[in-house]
Amino acid sequence: MIPLRTRLAQALDYVWGGWGAAASLLLLVALWEAGHEAYGTLVLPSPRETFAMLWRMTLDGRVWPAVVETGRNALAGFLGGVLVGGLLGALAGLSDMMRRLLAPVSTLMLGIPAIAWVVLSLLWFGGSGLAVVFTVLVTSAPVVFASAAEGVRSLDGALQRMARAFRVPRRVLVWDVYLPHMLSYLFPAVATALALSWKVAVMTELLSGAGGIGDGLATARVQVDTVKAMAWILVVVALLLAVEYLLLEPLRRHVLGWRRELPGAETRDPQGI
Amino acid sequence: MKPPAAPRFGDIVLASAFRPFFLLVPLAAISAVLPLPVIWTGLVGSGTIGSAAWHAHEQVFGCLAAAMAGFLLTALPSWTGTPAVTGRPLAMLVTVWLAGRLAFWLDGVLPASLVALADLAFLPAVFGSALPALAKAGKRPIDLGLVVAGLLLANFWFHMTRLGALPGTPDVAVVLGLDLLLVAIALALGRILPVALGAALQEAGLRGPVRLSPGRRHFAAATLALFAAADTFAPASPVTGWIALAAACAQLDRIVELHRGAALRRPQVLLFYVAQAFMAAGLAGLGAAALGACFDPVGLRHLLGMGAASLTVVTVMSIVSLRHSGRAFPLPRAVWIGPLLIIAATLLRVAVPEIAPEAMPWLGVALPSALWAAGFLAWLVVFGPWLVTPRLDGKPG
Amino acid sequence: MSPAVMIAQDSPRRMSAGLAIDAVSHAFGPEPVLSGLSVTLPAAQVGCLIGPSGCGKSTLLAMIGGLLRPDQGRVAHPFARPAFVFQDPCLLPWRDARGNIAFGLNALPMSRTECSARADRLLGTVGLTAEDGEKYPRELSGGMRQRVALARALAIEPDLLLLDEPFSALDVGLRRQMQALVRRLIDARGLTTVLVTHDLAEAVRMADRIVVLSPRPAHVAAQHDIGMPRAARDDGFVQAEVGRLLADPATAEALAVEGLS
Ligand SMILES: Nc1ncnc2c1ncn2[C@@H]1O[C@H](COP(=O)(O)OP(=O)(O)OP(=O)(O)O)[C@@H](O)[C@H]1O
Ligand SMILES: [Mg+2]
């Protein structure tokens, strides 16, 4: 087991890494500010205006409900997508017949642009939250499908043979061999699907008027209120960043820590003073 | 054959560039603040030219430039394996620097163009002396060379604005000089930190490699360079403000690599750490000020000049004096004295105008000046003897 | 649960409680890999399998370890705890070296502290440092990985040791060291061992019985017993013995070194 002190130090290092990300984002804000100075508020409101607007909207109680709404739809669709894609993928990995049956379908689904699904789900479900959930589900499921299939298919390899040779109990086999193996295949796909689910959810909301952040964006567009639109975009971006840096990246480090790069690979030998 | 005579004082001091320049840096640092208390407390009327510009110029292009010359002309040859500047050429360099200082002190007595000529000679001379090392392909001190060239141009601009030959004000030019020095520090730390951190890890009894990523260093230096450009062309713009904030974050991002337990408490690491923190604070403050917060920009510039630049310079000077006089780590305990005095001076100079502007002349200028002078004197007392005695290991330099 | 146990249980107990491979044939595709191969090895002895590449040595080892059921014939032995060192080290990429060494201990009733203590001990035994113990397989060199695999096999204190070219990625000095280590362990614990190797000198240094397999489909081309106690085999002896073995036409032919003899 890793001692607590090391864990704390690692956590601190991780949180500290936020400064690097902040530097990069602030440079982007500087570019934004320059754009504002060049083109004016109607095209590109200034960052400070936008932040102020976001603050006002939050105080008015408009932001949080929208975030919850979008989050609920996106998460429901994402979980459904992972479940469906994962299960079907596992089936395809286990049985060759299922693979023959499902793989082309999954490839086809992957090729259908998200916007086409939005149109279809609007026709089928109207402007309800269900349309959002459905669109997210069908766009994220194929992403998970392929890697789940590949993960299950490659389970029965040299490592499993090794584990059998050492006659470890089933629990260990599942926990120490199957699970890490599956995670190394599934995790990247699931992370991609999660990031995708937000964007698709907002897009569907925008076109369907089903509430949430996308609806706010649509309203801002109708009112030609660039400041408000930018503020809503900020909300989306902030959510994406939060999911990536507060959830996915720590998980990734925890789960795929063994993939770490060779130590010192990126440092050049210093020559001293 | 005659028995070898004991080496003469001049030969020892001129054996390597760091010796004479590091001896002069404390004197320059002290002389650059000497007139300030007198002016601020109102005992004597202000000088003929802007006292702020004079003081800033002497700190940046007098004191810090001398330290940089001593460092570069010692370090560059040893990185690249090119011959170092010693003896008579070094004596010439020192004389050129002294002439510049003398001219500045006599500003108002001498014609402005003569002052400019005397002062402008030094950096090109340093650049020329560093050229053999910089020209050596394959090695990478090119970036530092570019910064020296930038400094040279900034100083040129400074004098041209005084003479009315170029647009702009001396203040903006000297601020550019300071910004460029920060870039130089960010780059040079990439060379110094591995040595310092390695020694600190050993002293703290820790194992494990010194891991400093070039990516972080380049990011820190690049954001600073961007800030220097923005600060010059659009000093008060919010764009510059955001860039300053980004640069502050990049500096903070960088120092995570110094979080190495007990090694962080060793002077050769902790002093750099504090200096980096000052740099981040100064940049963040400037950024906030450009975006509308009411901070005193002059105080924040002092945070950068005193807290970040000078503290780093003093620490580098300590390490270079130790290593190039043939000594091994650890640094003597007395190494703390000078930096602590300088830190106290910095905090006073920055905090007083924010908290108690009316106490500025005594608490914000006179006392910090005294602490500052005492700090550099303390450094000279501790390390000066090493600079005027031969290398311990008998090697040249 | 595994076929090896079943084979061991239904085997007759008469062959001095050692390893008996009886007329084993096997094929993966249309071409047979093993054809009617019979070998015996008394308990507490070291058998070396040597033969041309691709002749079926690893396949035979998998059968002995119970990972593969022969198409025909029987493999019988009384051992309850075989341990493998595979030709490819087969380490879990998501466990550090220490965790990999302790992996086999999961099958034994053992507390966590005991496990980690034993893993630490074995790290030292195979010449790895505590720091290496924290590295993941992709951060280890090929030879280090092989040593971790060896330590993992030794950790479970097996009664049957199956080694598939375990020293191939080591330099000469380290190889000698590891050979000596395994030899000491074998002698001290009376381990029955099957060692696959390409190196006749290694076989002579380690084995009580050298089994030379013919090219595919493999059968026993020649078999040599070495009487000298392992501790007494010096370099001179090994050289002379290698020469003597190669003088045997069947051996030389199987190893395709006729040109030399
Ligand atoms: N799982 C498998 N499926 C199909 N063919 C196999 C399989 N395993 C081994 N073979 C074939 O069986 C033959 C013997 O393989 P084996 O690995 O036993 O050779 P080996 O004697 O160990 O060779 P080497 O010395 O190169 O390791 C080879 O021709 C190989 O192609
Ligand atoms: Mg093999």
Side-chain angles (χ1 to χ4, degrees):
Chain A
M1 278 289 101
I2 305 162
L4 186 69
R5 271 187 73 124
T6 323
R7 290 218 169 195
L8 276 179
Q10 279 172 353
L12 176 70
D13 279 6
Y14 179 69
V15 172
W16 203 281
W19 291 116
S24 142
L25 294 177
L26 283 166
L27 284 180
L28 189 68
V29 175
L31 210 60
W32 173 7
E33 182 84 55
H36 162 73
E37 284 186 357
Y39 297 106
T41 300
L42 198 61
V43 177
L44 197 60
S46 90
R48 278 171 295 165
E49 261 178 289
T50 312
F51 290 128
M53 170 61 88
L54 180 57
W55 184 238
R56 251 200 324 283
M57 280 165 29
T58 316
L59 290 186
D60 289 351
R62 269 184 290 166
V63 172
W64 189 240
V67 168
V68 170
E69 170 111 37
T70 305
R72 203 179 48 215
N73 290 338
L75 213 63
F78 161 76
L79 287 179
V82 168
L83 212 67
V84 172
L87 279 180
L88 291 181
L91 270 182
L94 286 174
S95 133
D96 196 36
M97 193 231 13
M98 292 304 276
R99 190 175 61 81
R100 281 163 199 286
L101 183 70
L102 293 174
V105 178
S106 155
T107 312
L108 178 125
M109 304 273 275
L110 209 55
I112 297 180
I115 196 75
W117 284 117
V118 174
V119 173
L120 282 180
S121 67
L122 282 183
L123 293 174
W124 294 341
F125 303 103
S128 71
L130 207 57
V132 182
V133 175
F134 173 78
T135 316
V136 172
L137 193 153
V138 289
T139 43
S140 56
V143 177
V144 180
F145 173 87
S147 48
E150 198 44 46
V152 170
R153 227 149 63 90
S154 52
L155 265 184
D156 192 31
L159 288 181
Q160 200 220 24
R161 211 167 80 114
M162 184 278 294
R164 260 193 322 127
F166 281 94
R167 299 183 183 172
V168 293
R170 187 144 213 91
R171 172 183 58 80
V172 176
L173 190 67
V174 170
W175 191 253
D176 276 358
V177 181
Y178 288 171
L179 194 71
H181 176 93
M182 284 302 291
L183 274 181
S184 70
Y185 276 89
L186 268 182
F187 194 87
V190 170
T192 313
L194 186 55
L196 189 72
S197 69
W198 280 102
K199 289 182 245 179
V200 172
V202 171
M203 190 170 67
T204 318
E205 284 170 349
L206 186 128
L207 294 176
S208 71
I213 298 172
D215 208 17
L217 260 177
T219 319
R221 198 199 65 156
V222 171
Q223 298 168 345
V224 202
D225 191 340
T226 345
V227 184
K228 220 177 253 172
M230 269 319 258
W232 280 115
I233 292 174
L234 269 190
V235 173
V236 181
V237 169
L239 280 175
L240 266 176
L241 287 176
V243 168
E244 173 64 28
Y245 284 116
L246 298 182
L247 183 72
L248 291 179
E249 185 59 28
L251 263 179
R252 193 174 292 136
R253 282 178 184 228
H254 184 72
V255 171
L256 303 181
W258 53 272
R259 282 192 177 171
R260 69 187 175 199
E261 290 307 313
L262 299 179
E266 54 173 356
T267 49
R268 258 207 324 266
D269 222 4
Q271 291 165 328
I273 51 171
Chain B
M1 286 233 309
K2 284 191 296 181
R8 282 187 340 196
F9 176 80
D11 290 339
I12 299 167
V13 170
L14 293 175
S16 184
F18 77 97
R19 292 170 178 269
F21 280 116
F22 289 2
L23 280 172
L24 288 171
V25 163
L27 305 180
I30 294 165
S31 71
V33 297
L34 269 185
L36 289 184
V38 187
I39 295 168
W40 269 80
T41 48
L43 295 179
V44 171
S46 168
T48 48
I49 62 161
S51 61
W54 185 92
H55 160 68
H57 181 276
E58 277 313 277
Q59 290 291 27
V60 171
F61 293 106
C63 168
L64 293 177
M68 201 184 66
F71 170 71
L72 282 184
L73 295 181
T74 307
L76 280 179
S78 92
W79 291 343
T80 54
T82 39
V85 185
T86 57
R88 190 168 286 272
L90 183 55
M92 295 286 289
L93 263 181
V94 174
T95 312
V96 170
W97 180 84
L98 277 172
R101 304 289 64 71
L102 195 67
F104 243 82
W105 271 90
L106 297 178
D107 186 64
V109 179
L110 299 175
S113 51
L114 190 63
V115 174
L117 212 61
D119 181 55
L120 279 175
F122 179 59
L123 282 172
V126 172
F127 192 72
S129 315
L131 260 185
L134 291 174
K136 186 154 175 178
K139 311 276 184 172
R140 304 256 320 218
I142 298 294
D143 42 10
L144 274 174
L146 282 177
V147 177
V148 175
L151 271 173
L152 193 158
L153 292 177
N155 198 18
F156 182 72
W157 188 29
F158 176 89
H159 286 288
M160 289 305 113
T161 57
R162 281 190 60 213
L163 296 172
L166 281 176
T169 63
D171 297 287
V172 180
V174 82
V175 159
L176 172 62
L178 178 55
D179 290 347
L180 287 173
L181 264 175
L182 296 182
V183 178
I185 284 173
L187 292 172
L189 276 186
R191 299 287 188 151
I192 302 157
L193 275 182
V195 179
L197 188 56
L201 284 171
Q202 209 168 23
E203 288 166 29
L206 294 172
R207 281 142 52 92
V210 175
R211 232 177 272 171
L212 297 167
S213 97
R216 281 193 155 115
R217 171 170 90 242
H218 294 151
F219 192 39
T223 50
L224 275 174
L226 193 61
F227 170 70
D231 205 18
T232 306
F233 293 114
S237 153
V239 178
T240 308
W242 293 113
I243 293 176
L245 288 181
C249 290
Q251 311 310 314
L252 285 178
D253 177 51
R254 183 181 186 183
I255 54 178
V256 70
E257 295 173 326
L258 303 183
H259 289 172
R260 298 294 290 269
L264 178 53
R265 291 197 290 274
R266 303 299 312 159
Q268 66 265 42
V269 176
L270 187 58
L271 290 175
F272 285 133
Y273 190 85
V274 173
Q276 287 290 104
F278 276 140
M279 196 190 298
L283 288 167
L286 282 175
L291 291 169
C294 37
F295 292 129
D296 171 26
V298 178
L300 293 166
R301 296 288 175 193
H302 277 88
L303 202 48
L304 294 178
M306 300 169 78
S310 305
L311 195 55
T312 309
V313 159
V314 167
T315 313
V316 169
M317 279 166 44
S318 308
I319 295 176
V320 171
S321 303
L322 176 92
R323 294 286 298 253
H324 283 270
S325 65
R327 292 173 168 83
F329 278 104
L331 287 162
R333 291 180 72 86
V335 70
W336 291 105
I337 303 171
L340 284 179
L341 287 167
I342 293 173
I343 290 173
T346 308
L347 292 177
L348 274 175
R349 177 61 187 87
V350 177
V352 168
E354 302 292 344
I355 303 167
E358 69 285 350
M360 200 50 200
W362 288 106
L363 281 185
V365 176
L367 183 55
S369 297
L371 288 171
W372 166 270
F376 274 95
L377 267 184
W379 188 88
L380 197 58
V381 170
V382 176
F383 291 95
W386 295 359
L387 301 176
V388 296
T389 45
R391 259 184 94 113
L392 279 190
D393 52 12
K395 287 188 198 152
Chain C
M1 179 187 112
S2 80
V5 177
M6 279 156 37
I7 293 169
Q9 276 162 356
D10 66 13
S11 66
R13 285 281 176 140
R14 58 192 158 79
M15 17 203 107
S16 74
L19 170 68
I21 298 165
D22 190 20
V24 161
S25 298
H26 193 78
F28 287 108
E31 292 263 311
V33 176
L34 306 174
S35 73
L37 186 146
S38 298
V39 176
T40 61
L41 182 70
Q45 289 219 343
V46 179
C48 264
L49 294 177
I50 192 163
S53 175
C55 74
K57 303 181 294 294
S58 299
T59 308
L60 187 58
L61 211 62
M63 283 174 185
I64 299 172
L67 295 177
L68 192 66
R69 220 181 223 296
D71 289 345
Q72 282 159 31
R74 335 207 294 161
V75 176
H77 62 74
F79 307 111
R81 212 187 273 176
F84 258 104
V85 174
F86 295 95
Q87 188 163 11
D88 169 295
C90 261
L91 303 179
L92 297 175
W94 40 82
R95 289 267 174 280
D96 60 9
R98 186 174 282 120
N100 267 295
I101 293 175
F103 180 71
L105 301 177
N106 281 314
L108 310 181
M110 210 180 218
S111 75
R112 259 173 192 282
T113 45
E114 268 180 284
C115 280
S116 66
R118 193 181 282 189
D120 279 337
R121 219 173 42 241
L122 276 153
L123 264 179
T125 310
V126 295
L128 295 174
T129 62
E131 247 167 77
D132 295 331
E134 249 119 68
K135 290 186 182 151
Y136 288 94
R138 58 181 288 170
E139 299 167 322
L140 295 169
S141 74
M144 285 156 113
R145 273 178 236 163
Q146 258 188 347
R147 280 183 279 161
V148 171
L150 180 62
R152 175 176 64 186
L154 297 177
I156 63 170
E157 304 200 326
D159 47 10
L160 174 63
L161 197 53
L162 303 170
L163 307 174
D164 200 345
E165 303 187 30
F167 310 124
S168 59
L170 306 180
D171 59 73
V172 182
L174 203 51
R175 172 186 302 216
R176 282 295 197 66
Q177 220 174 310
M178 289 297 120
Q179 284 172 356
L181 166 76
V182 172
R183 237 162 45 176
R184 266 201 313 278
L185 279 169
I186 290 170
D187 286 338
R189 298 192 193 156
L191 273 179
T192 311
T193 304
V194 181
L195 171 73
V196 173
T197 178
H198 276 126
D199 179 0
L200 204 51
E202 181 172 285
V204 170
R205 210 168 278 129
M206 305 282 294
D208 296 300
R209 174 167 292 175
I210 297 176
V211 177
V212 185
L213 299 186
S214 69
R216 185 178 170 180
H219 53 88
V220 176
Q223 182 170 318
H224 307 274
D225 284 348
I226 298 180
M228 173 89 78
R230 259 182 290 277
R233 297 177 196 174
D234 55 11
D235 285 352
F237 171 81
V238 170
Q239 241 167 15
E241 195 68 9
V242 168
R244 194 176 69 80
L245 293 188
L246 286 178
D248 170 35
T251 307
E253 195 200 325
L255 300 181
V257 288
E258 313 86 339
L260 293 177
S261 57

